[in-house]
Amino acid sequence: MSRTAHRTVVMTGATRGIGRHAAARLLAEAPRLHLVVLARGTSGEALAESLSRHRDRLTVLEADLLSLDSVRAAADRTAHMLTAGSLPPLRGLLLNGGVQHTSSMVESADGLEATFAVNVLAPHLLIRRLGDHMPEPARIVLTVSDTHFGDLRHNLGLVPGPQWMAPEALARPGAFSSPAGVTAGRTAYSTSKLAAVHLIHEHARRLPPGIVIAGFNPGLVPATGIARSADALSRFAMRWVLPMLALTPLAAMPRTAGRQLARMLLDETPPPDGGYVSRERVVASSAESYDPARERELWDLAERLTAPSAPPA
């Protein structure tokens, strides 16, 4: 640990795309910040190699967001380091990790639908395990998506809108019609992002007043790697065709979105608690996303599924 660091930020989704640029920004612009990256396999060490000039302020911990046990273990190891004083106080969580699959049949290590497990349950578990170790003031930022609006204006027709149903059903593989198809996979993605906004609202009600939680929508960002599990045509479009939209207001490149994401933690003025920041503007999330009954139901399921003694799926 660097002797000059005086706050810790824990981050997921830092090894590629938007997150990689955000991690570099955090370390470059905040010389007294220590970044803890939760990453799978060798990807974290590859990131550390690329950020070697800041190596004394970067800790990489193994964590597979597809496994709740792995996420729990990484959170608990982080908590132990904070309690022992080997990390400075935890002032931020930047939960940027996310996936999108070509079907709704991909399972996590726990037998849950993989998109829901990574985009909803993993961040919930990290907030619950690390929230008690965050002295006030602190910030939690969760990367969400304007695909949760489900209209042409916000997703350009590239992703179907969310299809809400009982959270218990959403957590299981095959929730949507033609579950083995690409449309179901993309619907699982937009629905998981709606669920993430719901959980942000519920966490905002339950966290202490000095801990602010907000969602960050980067908009359409081609070339991030999130479509790496998509079909060949979609991968081609995301890598070679859609980047041209970054020349227009319709899209942004990963470097720009990464800078905006980093500013969510670096700016002196926090975002509104429970708020939705689209690129750099505070806006309302979708009308559908404001539903306290839904949010409590989702919270209850997330609590049950992420409990250490949760029943097998």
Side-chain angles (χ1 to χ4, degrees), residues 177-208:
S177 61
S178 302
V182 172
T183 298
R186 292 176 178 168
T187 303
Y189 177 79
S190 62
T191 306
S192 76
K193 292 302 183 177
L194 174 59
V197 177
H198 280 323
L199 274 182
I200 287 170
H201 296 162
E202 190 64 22
H203 275 286
R205 295 185 188 101
R206 296 169 183 262
L207 287 165

